[in-house]
Amino acid sequence: MDRAGPEDALAAMAHDVESAATALVDLWERTAHAASPRLSSLQLRALTAARLSPGINLTRLAVEVGAGAPAASRLCDRLEAAGLLRRRRNEDDRREVGLVLTTHGHEMVNGLQERRRRALQEVLGNMPSAHRRHLLEGLRSFAEVAETRDD
């Protein structure tokens, strides 16, 4: 007699969530690939981090995007060359350099967010309202727990 335990049930659930989430991830990435200029997911994460924390320093940005400091510096070089990001000296500590989005960078991130919202709205509009509510409740709970994880 072979009974599936709680770990087996969680493994099966993780498999099912992975399969179901593929559609959401695909939609998310397709909208990013339609952006101009076309940016990698790492570049988009860097722009989003700079938008959420204007003046973020390179060390913190590296942590936010999961890259080493040299890689984050090269990433910022490319974003700066594209006119999306600029380095700014900290007024209180001239050795400290903060990163801020340019006007073009803000327009890029805002446009991408708007395209993503429209794409999500289109898909959500074809779902029953009860399923939309359950999806949102589940995603909120997932996000709350995921944010507390130590990677």
Side-chain angles (χ1 to χ4, degrees):
M1 183 177 221
D2 193 26
R3 287 193 167 170
E7 290 298 316
D8 294 331
L10 282 175
M13 174 66 78
H15 179 270
D16 291 345
V17 168
E18 177 189 16
S19 297
T22 299
L24 176 60
V25 172
D26 286 346
L27 181 137
W28 198 258
E29 290 178 353
R30 275 195 316 271
T31 57
H33 289 294
S36 180
R38 190 168 169 179
L39 301 173
S40 71
S41 60
L42 184 63
Q43 290 170 321
L44 289 171
R45 284 200 320 263
L47 291 174
T48 301
R51 181 176 188 242
L52 293 173
S53 300
I56 189 171
N57 67 27
L58 189 61
T59 302
R60 183 68 191 150
L61 180 76
V63 170
E64 291 290 322
V65 301
S73 181
R74 289 189 301 275
L75 172 66
C76 290
D77 290 343
R78 289 189 297 274
L79 292 171
E80 197 169 25
L84 300 170
L85 186 77
R86 71 179 168 86
R87 289 174 168 94
R88 179 181 70 192
R89 291 253 177 238
N90 185 322
E91 297 297 320
D92 298 328
D93 181 355
R94 302 292 292 164
R95 295 170 297 170
E96 178 94 11
V97 175
L99 305 166
V100 294
L101 293 183
T102 62
T103 300
H104 183 52
H106 276 287
E107 291 169 354
M108 167 79 183
V109 173
N110 290 343
L112 175 60
Q113 286 182 322
E114 182 57 34
R115 284 190 299 281
R116 283 180 170 161
R117 283 187 194 116
R118 283 195 310 266
L120 287 167
Q121 184 177 345
E122 183 179 325
V123 172
L124 291 168
N126 289 304
M127 292 173 60
S129 65
H131 291 186
R132 290 192 300 259
R133 280 193 310 279
H134 291 309
L135 174 64
L136 181 57
E137 289 169 12
L139 285 173
R140 282 181 174 157
S141 179
F142 182 91
E144 183 179 304
V145 173
E147 288 173 3
T148 63
R149 284 187 60 219
D150 287 333
D151 288 321

